[in-house]
Amino acid sequence: MIVCVAVVGQQNNPLYLQSFTEAGDELKLHHIVHCSLDVIDERVNNPKKSWPTLNETFLGLLYPSENYKVYGYLTNTKVKFILVTIDMEVKDADMRNFFRRFHAAFVDAVSNPFHVPGKKITSRSFASRVSAIVKSFGSGTTA
Amino acid sequence: MEPDVSIETDCEIRVAVLPIGGPIPPPRLRDYLSMLSGHRRVDLSSVSSFYTEHQKSPFTHQPWDSGSLRFKYVVGGAPPSPWEDFQSCRKTLAVVGLCHCPSSPDLSLVADLFAAACKPYTSALVHRCFAFCPSDSQLDEGKKVDKVILFPPSDRQTQEIHMLTMVQDLAASLLMEFEKWVLRAESAGTILKTPLDSQSSLSSEEVIKAKKRRLGRAQKTIGDYCLLAGSPVDANAHYSTAIELARLTGDVFWHAGALEGSVCALLVDRAGQKDATLEEEVKYRYYTVIQLYRRAYLQDNAQRVSTVSFELEAALKLARYLCRQELAKEVVELLMGAADGAKSLIDASDRLILYVEIARIYGSLGYQRKAAFFSRQVAQLYLQQDNSFAAISALQVLSLTSKAYHVQSRGASQKQDTLSNSLGPSHADGGKMHQQSVVSLFESQWSTLQMVVLREILMSSVRAGDPLAAWSAAARLLRSYYPLITPAGQSGLASSLVNSSERLPAGTRCADPALPFIRLHSFPIHPSQMDIVKRSPAKEEWWAGSAPSGPFIYTPFSKGGSNDSNKQELTWIVGEPVQVLVELANPCGFDLVVESIYLSVHSGNFDAFPVSVNLPPNSAKVILLSGIPTKVGPVLIPGCKVHCFGVITEHLFKDVDNLLLGAAQGLVLSDPFRSCGSGKLKIVSVPNISVVPPLPLLVSHVVGGDGAAILYEGEIRDIAISFTNAGTVPVEQAHISLSGKNQDSVISIARESLRSALPLKPGAEVTLPVTIKAWQLGMMDSDHASSKNSSGVSRISKEGSIPLLVIHYAGPLTYNESPKNGDFVSPGRRLVVPLHVCVLQGLRFVKARLLSMEIPAHVHDSLPNPIFVDDGSAEVVTSPNSVNSLVKIDPYSGSWVFRLLELELSNPTDVVFEVNVSVRMDGTNNGNGVTSIQNYAADFGYPKTRIDCDFSARVLIPLEHFKLPVLDGSFFAKESQTTDGLGSKISNPAERNSKAELNASINNLITKIKVRWQSGRNSSGELNIKDAIQAALQASMMDILLPEPLTFLFTLAKNGIANEGIKSPKELSEQTIVAGDSSIQSASGSNTRFKGSISAHEMTPMEVLIRNNTKEPIQMSLSVTCRDVAGENCIEGSKATVLWAGVLTGIQLEVPPLEEVSHSFSLYFLVPGDYTLMGSAIINSATEMLRARARTDSSEETIFCRGSPFHINVVGAL
């Protein structure tokens, strides 16, 4: 189950952060997303080292913690998508698929002429679309 | 768990450092410690001189030339670890006492104290007590007390050498002790216990097992000592044996320990080298170690003692060893594993150490955010301990994290700034700084996290009893996140600000500003009374070329430049107060009391005056901050100093500008000014401000009140303006000029009185009279006035229409106190004094007319007046009292003319005017023969014309004969050049040219006529009649001014032909008399005077004089006609009543230029009565000029000249 998805802008500014848990661990998720930027930063700054394919947008598992796994995705415009899940066994293909759909939703959201680049995404349709993707991801793995 | 572990920790000799005796001043203690702790590594080669081999050393492979002993100084000592048998490096092997002699005079007491202090350190092999700064008596005493080593008082360098010797001695002693210990252990064996063993029940089986294991454990411990003694090869040998034995006996825990030791030995042996194979080896062995520890942990899980800390320590050691960017993933895995293990740690302080270490390793790996995360965990652990020291630690740790979360205190970040950029911020690189801070604004969007961190900092600092840190945290929280905090929370923060400030001394400063938000609003420009003008000393007009030239005080170009920081420059003057407008905003929900706010000036040449402000909730205010420049030089104003919530902070304009910029881009939560209802984003940059030495300052006021003088149109009034030098420097140069509208209304300025008053000392005053003639109200104004009149308001004063008196003045040219720049010239100043005049409408012209009348002259025998003088100019001889006559005789045409200018004036005002006409006369005639105007007395003596309110009246102005004597071609010069008919068109430029010339002569005429008025006692003025006269004269201009080309004059021939001479002399004489008096009495218009002059039935000889007024000869054919009263031609026709002799028609004549030709003829009147004689001529081959004069269009037309009629009164024969 995905507990949190986040969009982080070029300057590591949070653009969108949505958690999908009932428990009040939002702050913890904030911390996890914030900390995972360390790894992304490293990969963004040293793309040659240890990352064989330059065109790869999917960053894979960023770091595993005791309960969570954090996956990352980097767009060409250096916008980062971060996903926090509590599923310990996730197939990379599922993850890629998820991020691809998420990316499409994001592109649609920022294509809105009323969206100011660099500002937080407040679109409700984006939120509902994201939660739909998140839900389908959960069902996809179980099915 | 122990802090700061690494793989090499195993080879460090732990030395407890204890202060002994009386209290040591902290700087002293720090000094002594730094001397000691410099010697962490002591080379074996240097130890050898202190070393004596008592027996054969067990360390057979000791590298005397390359090896070293390592020390780890534990200040204050540490309680003995239960695990010290397991790892010898955990033992405190030596104790060093530090004593400050001045505070502990009795050295023997010191020795006793030291001995007591060493007691708890049972495993300590060597004790040393160092005493510093002994007195002479103590030096003597010290010889007796051998336990205490006295450091002779000397300089630091000597003491350091001394310390080095002592440490080397300590190392040698330790080495010998190690040897002893190893020898004893090898021979006698040793009991090694760990907490694990003590817990195990000693069944018989266990005892046998323990005996087997003992050998292996002893080998491991000997290995430890070898390592400590700096002999890795020996250590390795012992460790190998130990590993073998441990494996055989299944002693997993000790196996792991020995393996760990062997890795350390490997690294020490390969000191400094780091290659891939070594790394692989270390990695492999350490993973094994971790595995073994885990196994030991699982195995002994039943026991109450946990060995998990050894596993975690091993993980940390490996992580620290591997800590490199390339291996980040591995390190992160190790660390995450270690962090997971934290849960199984029972002891909170172990967990604390673990998190500290994890955070440190993350930090050195470059993962700042993760480091910050674990630091926060550390802080939370500290906060769980309920004491203020823990809280202080928590505060310190949190302060470290604040950078990663972008909430750091300005004080900390400024230090970094100054390190990186020692030049300090200047205006020039403002743009770059801007960019950076905008980028950092992006990251500052993790408001959820940031607020949590700041809250924790606030909480921990309150608990730690650090009011300044609490204040700073609360200020940061409030300033940055007020939109996310409820009004109640905001008030809570405000009260915590106040609470913490109560515990701070008054006047405490903090680097972090709280509220309000302050931005620069504007720099008010100098009022026009204090304008500063650059002075160029080379020029006479030194102010010329300085910025605001031209008629405008403000040019649109200079106005537009106000946003550009590079262009705008301000000049302030020493000792003259200046003002700056700033805008404050309080976006929070409580009343903000700013106790004082003033400009913060870093250049130190400015005295700022504090102001106190109250800001209601959600409000913004523009306030005026003032100050006085005190010294010459540039002034930098980066922001404001604010005393608010009990603490003084500096608010930089730049920060708020960045904030507003961020708000405009949607990066920052909210624009505090807009949320307070203030205006839009407007970034005003601080201009370059320079302070110049004192300048004089003129202050003006109008004597008799500064109110506007109310004048009627044309009124003349003297206004006295007094100038006072309010500055501290004398005025040495001053120049008055005029600007603005209606400049010509200022008739005179007493420039001399100002000039003579120079130099104007400080405080001195000079009064300057200025004469003003109120100007004519324009059409618009008068319309305005008339519309206003209906409502009873008749005064008009428009700011824009008043003239301005501009005074450029300056002090001494050079200023002595600035010798550095020799070309420095103190600027001048400009004072603009508006002459406040309110012009009321006065008399109004209704109409102006030219009244012209011609009275035909009578024929008589002599010319009445012209007498030709030598130079050809003519003078009219008039009788003395002819001055008063309005009727003048035309000397050429001989007719009487009567010309008056009639002005009809109405008085719409509510006062009475009296009008008086005077004509100023030229004293002399011009040489070129302008004959017309004679010397008049200035006053005609006419009664004054009084015009009552709302009435109109007429004023007559006599116009004298202004004809020119010669019809000059120059008037028509251009026309004669043109060849075709077009030449005479009205639109021709020549025509205009001539018109202009005519206008000039008319103007000349008009200036001589003054129409003065007086109203009441005080007001008097002059009527502007120029336009009226011009309008009236325009039409008949040519006729008035230019003479006819030919003039005709009829006279009775005196000594004409034949019988005329018979004329009675009496009559002749009578005629001359009459002629002489003609001009006197003719005004009465009576012609009876000529009775008997010409009789009917007599042959009357007459002659006609034809004068050519042009400069060219004229050929013509002349004819003379005579008409009776009825206008019938009485010469020709069947009923002719006049007979004639001579030729009357078709007389061909040529008149030379400017001369006369006479033609004689005789008339015989049959019937008495009045007759009219008239000459006329058809000009042959007329010139262009004549055509122009005659206003003909085509060149074919004949030019016909007609003289003015002459009357002849023929009396009857009786």
Side-chain angles (χ1 to χ4, degrees):
Chain A
M1 189 187 127
I2 293 173
V3 292
C4 177
V5 287
V7 180
V8 179
Q10 281 181 38
Q11 311 290 345
N12 290 336
N13 48 324
L15 296 177
Y16 180 79
L17 203 150
Q18 182 62 53
S19 59
F20 299 97
T21 51
E22 287 81 31
D25 51 358
E26 204 153 328
L27 181 63
K28 191 172 182 182
L29 292 169
H30 264 96
H31 272 297
I32 290 172
V33 171
H34 185 247
C35 288
S36 61
L37 289 177
D38 273 335
V39 187
I40 295 179
D41 260 4
E42 187 186 275
R43 297 195 192 178
V44 170
N45 294 336
N46 316 310
K48 279 171 218 159
K49 288 177 190 167
S50 66
W51 307 106
T53 46
L54 284 173
N55 292 333
E56 179 65 292
T57 49
F58 179 57
L59 299 171
L61 184 62
L62 295 180
Y63 78 89
S65 68
E66 62 259 72
N67 297 326
Y68 304 106
K69 282 190 163 187
V70 182
Y71 290 86
Y73 182 92
L74 179 71
T75 70
N76 291 328
T77 53
K78 301 258 198 296
V79 174
K80 297 106 186 171
F81 301 147
I82 292 166
L83 179 147
V84 185
T85 173
I86 49 172
D87 296 332
M88 281 300 138
E89 297 298 323
V90 184
K91 275 183 257 171
D92 257 15
D94 286 347
M95 221 22 113
R96 278 172 207 273
N97 189 31
F98 169 85
F99 276 124
R100 210 165 293 131
R101 293 170 69 191
F102 190 78
H103 194 172
F106 171 76
V107 167
D108 288 353
V110 296
S111 302
N112 180 352
F114 295 102
H115 172 76
V116 180
K119 263 194 158 177
K120 295 198 175 185
I121 301 171
T122 50
S123 153
R124 255 174 292 163
S125 67
F126 177 72
S128 63
R129 199 164 153 191
V130 166
S131 57
I133 298 170
V134 167
K135 262 178 211 145
S136 74
F137 176 81
S139 63
T141 47
T142 49
Chain B
M1 288 209 46
E2 292 196 342
D4 202 19
V5 287
S6 68
I7 293 178
E8 272 124 350
T9 309
D10 282 347
C11 62
E12 283 170 355
I13 303 164
R14 193 166 297 187
V15 179
V17 181
L18 307 172
I20 302 296
I24 305 175
R28 284 288 180 176
L29 182 63
R30 227 169 284 138
D31 204 29
Y32 302 151
L33 284 176
S34 72
M35 271 198 282
L36 184 62
S37 59
H39 309 293
R40 291 183 178 281
R41 238 181 129 110
V42 180
D43 289 338
L44 283 174
S45 52
S46 63
V47 171
S48 58
S49 54
F50 300 93
Y51 171 80
T52 46
E53 197 170 19
H54 296 289
Q55 45 207 325
K56 190 170 163 26
S57 170
F59 309 132
T60 47
H61 300 286
Q62 192 140 37
W64 278 103
D65 44 355
S66 63
S68 61
L69 296 184
R70 297 170 197 222
F71 290 102
K72 181 176 183 177
Y73 301 101
V74 182
V75 179
S81 160
W83 300 95
E84 63 181 26
D85 272 354
F86 175 60
Q87 282 173 331
S88 304
C89 62
R90 289 175 193 265
K91 283 180 189 162
T92 301
L93 293 168
V95 180
V96 171
L98 298 176
C99 173
H100 185 59
C101 289
S103 55
S104 36
D106 188 359
L107 286 180
S108 54
L109 181 66
V110 169
D112 294 344
L113 284 172
F114 179 61
C118 289
K119 274 256 169 64
Y121 300 96
T122 48
S123 52
L125 303 172
V126 182
H127 310 273
R128 291 280 188 282
C129 186
F130 301 144
F132 296 90
C133 309
S135 60
D136 290 348
S137 59
Q138 281 172 325
L139 277 175
D140 295 340
E141 193 191 347
K143 282 165 193 157
K144 287 170 237 163
V145 186
D146 54 350
K147 289 267 182 184
V148 179
I149 300 159
L150 291 174
F151 276 54
S154 58
D155 59 343
R156 167 126 190 156
Q157 209 175 354
T158 323
Q159 285 201 332
E160 271 174 4
I161 291 168
H162 209 87
M163 179 62 89
L164 177 64
T165 318
M166 286 301 142
V167 172
Q168 285 168 349
D169 173 54
L170 178 74
S173 317
L174 274 171
L175 189 55
M176 291 184 277
E177 291 297 330
F178 290 159
E179 284 174 359
K180 261 186 240 166
W181 195 93
V182 169
L183 286 172
R184 194 169 65 235
E186 273 179 339
S187 58
T190 177
I191 307 297
L192 296 165
K193 274 191 179 170
T194 62
L196 282 176
D197 301 314
S198 60
Q199 296 297 322
S200 57
S201 54
L202 286 171
S203 62
S204 58
E205 200 181 335
E206 294 286 326
V207 175
I208 298 162
K209 218 180 189 178
K211 273 183 185 168
K212 277 191 198 164
R213 287 176 177 178
R214 194 191 295 155
L215 198 58
R217 294 185 180 186
Q219 283 297 319
K220 195 256 171 199
T221 311
I222 292 167
D224 281 349
Y225 275 98
C226 294
L227 208 51
L228 292 176
S231 172
V233 181
D234 290 314
N236 207 20
H238 288 287
Y239 281 137
S240 308
T241 323
I243 289 166
E244 285 301 311
L245 289 170
R247 191 183 291 150
L248 284 175
T249 53
D251 198 354
V252 183
F253 190 64
W254 285 80
H255 183 184
L259 200 56
E260 225 181 326
S262 75
V263 178
C264 181
L266 184 66
L267 285 182
V268 172
D269 194 27
R270 300 277 186 86
Q273 305 168 21
K274 242 187 186 180
D275 51 43
T277 49
L278 178 69
E279 201 170 282
E280 279 303 308
E281 178 70 22
V282 171
K283 229 190 317 186
Y284 169 73
R285 286 201 207 173
Y286 247 94
Y287 277 123
T288 322
V289 170
I290 294 168
Q291 288 288 321
L292 288 171
Y293 276 131
R294 193 168 294 158
R295 253 169 67 198
Y297 170 57
L298 293 171
Q299 198 178 6
D300 297 326
N301 214 10
Q303 298 161 10
R304 295 234 296 279
V305 178
S306 166
T307 56
V308 75
S309 62
F310 286 93
E311 182 198 335
L312 298 180
E313 264 185 25
L316 291 179
K317 283 176 185 173
L318 181 59
R320 179 157 290 160
Y321 177 72
L322 295 175
C323 183
R324 279 203 314 274
Q325 279 277 311
E326 301 88 75
L327 302 171
K329 203 174 178 189
E330 213 160 347
V331 176
V332 169
E333 268 168 23
L334 277 168
L335 291 176
M336 290 313 295
D340 280 350
K343 270 177 276 180
S344 24
L345 283 172
I346 298 154
D347 193 352
S349 66
D350 279 356
R351 208 177 299 163
L352 193 68
I353 292 167
L354 177 70
Y355 282 146
V356 168
E357 293 302 312
I358 291 175
R360 284 179 65 186
I361 296 169
Y362 269 132
S364 51
L365 199 60
Y367 284 11
Q368 298 303 336
R369 297 182 187 86
K370 277 200 179 112
F373 175 78
F374 282 101
S375 306
R376 260 198 70 240
Q377 303 281 348
V378 172
Q380 277 174 340
L381 288 174
Y382 271 127
L383 284 176
Q384 282 166 14
Q385 302 173 25
D386 211 5
N387 63 59
S388 66
F389 288 114
I392 290 172
S393 307
L395 176 60
Q396 282 170 347
V397 172
L398 284 173
S399 310
L400 291 176
T401 68
S402 62
K403 185 164 182 269
Y405 290 111
H406 296 275
V407 289
Q408 75 259 50
S409 159
R410 175 91 56 70
S413 60
Q414 262 174 359
K415 269 179 222 155
Q416 289 168 349
D417 273 358
T418 46
L419 279 177
S420 62
N421 181 11
S422 58
L423 287 171
S426 68
H427 293 290
D429 57 11
K432 251 194 307 184
M433 300 284 285
H434 232 71
Q435 208 57 40
Q436 280 176 352
S437 31
V438 166
V439 168
S440 77
L441 280 175
F442 284 101
E443 274 231 44
S444 60
Q445 293 202 325
W446 294 92
S447 45
T448 326
L449 305 181
Q450 289 163 334
M451 282 170 69
V452 167
V453 172
L454 283 175
R455 283 227 172 86
E456 280 171 1
I457 292 178
L458 176 59
M459 197 168 71
S460 60
S461 52
V462 166
R463 207 181 287 179
D466 185 345
L468 186 57
W471 198 95
S472 154
R476 277 179 274 167
L477 201 51
L478 194 56
R479 188 176 171 91
S480 308
Y481 305 105
Y482 68 89
L484 301 175
I485 304 173
T486 58
Q490 291 173 355
S491 316
L493 282 173
S495 61
S496 70
L497 282 171
V498 172
N499 288 342
S500 32
S501 73
E502 275 165 9
R503 297 204 278 148
L504 286 167
T508 306
R509 284 164 193 267
C510 181
D512 297 298
L515 295 175
F517 291 91
I518 302 175
R519 70 174 168 187
L520 197 59
H521 187 271
S522 60
F523 285 85
I525 306 167
H526 282 290
S528 59
Q529 274 73 22
M530 297 166 70
D531 241 343
I532 294 170
V533 179
K534 223 173 249 170
R535 174 146 77 154
S536 49
K539 279 189 237 170
E540 176 76 21
E541 300 195 322
W542 46 265
W543 59 89
S546 60
S549 61
F552 306 108
I553 295 176
Y554 305 116
T555 69
F557 305 106
S558 71
K559 192 99 180 173
S562 64
N563 281 344
D564 197 344
S565 63
N566 295 335
K567 278 184 189 168
Q568 205 186 3
E569 298 218 347
L570 275 183
T571 309
W572 287 354
I573 297 152
V574 170
E576 288 186 20
V578 291
Q579 292 171 329
V580 178
L581 286 170
V582 297
E583 189 170 12
L584 311 184
N586 169 24
C588 290
F590 52 84
D591 268 323
L592 184 66
V593 181
V594 180
E595 282 141 70
S596 70
I597 172 170
Y598 52 95
L599 292 174
S600 141
V601 176
H602 287 187
S603 44
N605 52 355
F606 188 82
D607 282 346
F609 302 146
V611 177
S612 77
V613 191
N614 258 8
L615 286 167
N618 291 313
S619 67
K621 225 183 232 180
V622 177
I623 61 164
L624 197 64
L625 297 179
S626 51
I628 290 185
T630 54
K631 253 185 277 171
V632 178
V635 176
L636 293 176
I637 304 180
C640 287
K641 290 255 169 69
V642 174
H643 188 210
C644 187
F645 295 117
V647 170
I648 298 169
T649 51
E650 183 173 26
H651 294 236
L652 299 178
F653 298 134
K654 196 178 66 192
D655 291 344
V656 173
D657 287 347
N658 288 346
L659 186 72
L660 297 182
L661 204 64
Q665 295 178 2
L667 303 175
V668 184
L669 297 163
S670 167
D671 178 344
F673 290 94
R674 193 174 297 179
S675 68
C676 292
S678 183
K680 273 185 72 185
L681 171 71
K682 185 185 81 177
I683 291 189
V684 183
S685 54
V686 183
N688 293 332
I689 303 166
S690 55
V691 177
V692 297
L695 297 181
L697 177 62
L698 280 186
V699 177
S700 72
H701 75 272
V702 176
V703 176
D706 279 332
I710 297 168
L711 302 177
Y712 289 102
E713 282 173 315
E715 184 169 341
I716 297 167
R717 172 83 59 93
D718 283 346
I719 297 175
I721 301 171
S722 80
F723 296 94
T724 313
N725 184 2
T728 54
V729 175
V731 178
E732 296 207 338
Q733 298 180 1
H735 179 271
I736 301 177
S737 56
L738 285 168
S739 86
K741 285 186 178 171
N742 294 315
Q743 288 182 25
D744 50 356
S745 65
V746 178
I747 297 171
S748 75
I749 304 167
R751 295 170 202 269
E752 269 313 311
S753 65
L754 178 63
R755 206 165 298 148
S756 61
L758 293 178
L760 199 60
K761 293 262 160 37
E765 193 181 72
V766 62
T767 306
L768 208 65
V770 174
T771 309
I772 292 182
K773 179 185 171 191
W775 57 90
Q776 209 69 22
L777 291 173
M779 279 309 284
M780 298 268 283
D781 294 340
S782 56
D783 282 355
H784 188 59
S786 60
S787 67
K788 282 268 179 110
N789 269 345
S790 56
S791 62
V793 183
S794 61
R795 66 173 55 177
I796 304 135
S797 165
K798 278 191 187 167
E799 265 306 301
S801 62
I802 57 173
L804 303 169
L805 209 56
V806 181
I807 299 168
H808 289 93
Y809 60 97
L813 197 60
T814 50
Y815 190 68
N816 300 334
E817 288 179 33
S818 59
K820 279 183 206 165
N821 36 0
D823 57 342
F824 175 81
V825 175
S826 64
R829 288 193 120 155
R830 181 179 52 192
L831 171 67
V832 177
V833 185
L835 296 169
H836 284 293
V837 172
C838 177
V839 177
L840 294 184
Q841 198 179 30
L843 289 175
R844 276 177 77 185
F845 283 108
V846 178
K847 228 185 324 183
R849 274 193 306 180
L850 181 72
L851 302 176
S852 174
M853 200 184 277
E854 203 165 359
I855 304 164
H858 286 267
V859 178
H860 38 81
D861 56 351
S862 65
L863 291 176
N865 30 30
I867 290 171
F868 292 98
V869 198
D870 316 337
D871 60 353
S873 70
E875 239 176 77
V876 178
V877 178
T878 51
S879 58
N881 52 354
S882 71
V883 166
N884 294 330
S885 168
L886 286 177
V887 181
K888 302 288 168 194
I889 202 153
D890 185 330
Y892 302 112
S893 62
S895 61
W896 302 92
V897 279
F898 179 74
R899 283 205 175 96
L900 286 174
L901 187 67
E902 182 201 71
L903 299 177
E904 188 169 349
L905 304 169
S906 80
N907 180 5
T909 65
D910 44 7
V911 290
V912 177
F913 285 92
E914 285 181 336
V915 177
N916 179 21
V917 179
S918 67
V919 177
R920 186 168 55 86
M921 287 297 118
D922 284 339
T924 55
N925 280 326
N926 296 345
N928 59 1
V930 177
T931 60
S932 54
I933 295 177
Q934 300 306 308
N935 291 329
Y936 284 65
D939 204 337
F940 274 107
Y942 297 145
K944 285 176 179 170
T945 313
R946 179 185 157 100
I947 309 177
D948 285 333
C949 319
D950 295 329
F951 277 91
S952 48
R954 293 186 179 183
V955 177
L956 291 178
I957 301 171
L959 283 183
E960 288 312 316
H961 212 294
F962 297 113
K963 271 197 205 297
L964 301 170
V966 177
L967 181 59
D968 199 337
S970 66
F971 280 116
F972 308 100
K974 292 284 164 55
E975 270 173 290
S976 55
Q977 284 168 11
T978 55
T979 51
D980 56 357
L982 283 173
S984 52
K985 290 264 160 130
I986 288 294
S987 64
N988 195 294
E991 187 83 354
R992 265 184 264 139
N993 225 20
S994 68
K995 278 238 167 92
E997 220 160 308
L998 286 177
N999 279 342
S1001 53
I1002 282 201
N1003 286 346
N1004 187 31
L1005 157 68
I1006 289 165
T1007 49
K1008 287 169 185 162
I1009 300 173
K1010 302 265 183 206
V1011 180
R1012 295 186 191 278
W1013 55 262
Q1014 200 171 4
S1015 170
R1017 240 181 222 181
N1018 296 329
S1019 321
S1020 67
E1022 211 169 89
L1023 219 51
N1024 190 354
I1025 52 166
K1026 193 170 168 182
D1027 294 339
I1029 296 180
Q1030 217 152 19
L1033 294 183
Q1034 200 69 48
S1036 48
M1037 178 97 57
M1038 227 183 230
D1039 295 330
I1040 294 172
L1041 268 162
L1042 293 183
E1044 295 283 324
L1046 296 172
T1047 47
F1048 303 88
L1049 185 66
F1050 291 91
T1051 53
L1052 298 176
K1054 267 189 219 165
N1055 37 10
I1057 321 153
N1059 53 354
E1060 288 311 306
I1062 310 166
K1063 212 63 188 139
S1064 63
K1066 179 191 165 197
E1067 271 185 353
L1068 280 174
S1069 65
E1070 196 179 83
Q1071 280 168 355
T1072 27
I1073 293 162
V1074 168
D1077 288 351
S1078 64
S1079 55
I1080 311 167
Q1081 301 295 335
S1082 58
S1084 60
S1086 156
N1087 44 20
T1088 55
R1089 211 160 301 141
F1090 290 98
K1091 61 188 169 197
S1093 58
I1094 295 171
S1095 315
H1097 308 295
E1098 257 179 36
M1099 187 58 94
T1100 313
M1102 301 189 77
E1103 58 183 5
V1104 55
L1105 288 172
I1106 302 117
R1107 180 178 165 82
N1108 183 356
N1109 286 326
T1110 68
K1111 285 184 175 173
E1112 287 152 39
I1114 297 177
Q1115 290 198 342
M1116 60 181 158
S1117 111
L1118 170 78
S1119 45
V1120 176
T1121 54
C1122 180
R1123 291 170 196 274
D1124 60 10
V1125 189
E1128 299 278 329
N1129 191 339
C1130 46
I1131 296 175
E1132 287 160 6
S1134 52
K1135 289 183 181 174
T1137 50
V1138 179
L1139 304 178
W1140 47 276
V1143 192
L1144 285 187
T1145 53
I1147 310 151
Q1148 294 297 325
L1149 279 176
E1150 180 173 335
V1151 188
L1154 296 175
E1155 284 194 22
E1156 285 175 330
V1157 168
S1158 67
H1159 171 74
S1160 304
F1161 58 94
S1162 300
L1163 293 179
Y1164 184 89
F1165 295 94
L1166 295 175
V1167 181
D1170 280 341
Y1171 293 87
T1172 306
L1173 278 176
M1174 204 159 70
S1176 60
I1178 294 166
I1179 296 168
N1180 305 331
S1181 64
T1183 59
E1184 287 293 330
M1185 182 189 71
L1186 290 173
R1187 285 183 193 287
R1189 178 68 181 91
R1191 300 209 179 98
T1192 54
D1193 288 341
S1194 65
S1195 51
E1196 284 84 33
E1197 227 174 296
T1198 51
I1199 304 296
F1200 184 72
C1201 261
R1202 216 177 57 147
S1204 39
F1206 276 70
H1207 277 247
I1208 295 178
N1209 190 11
V1210 179
V1211 295
L1214 292 176

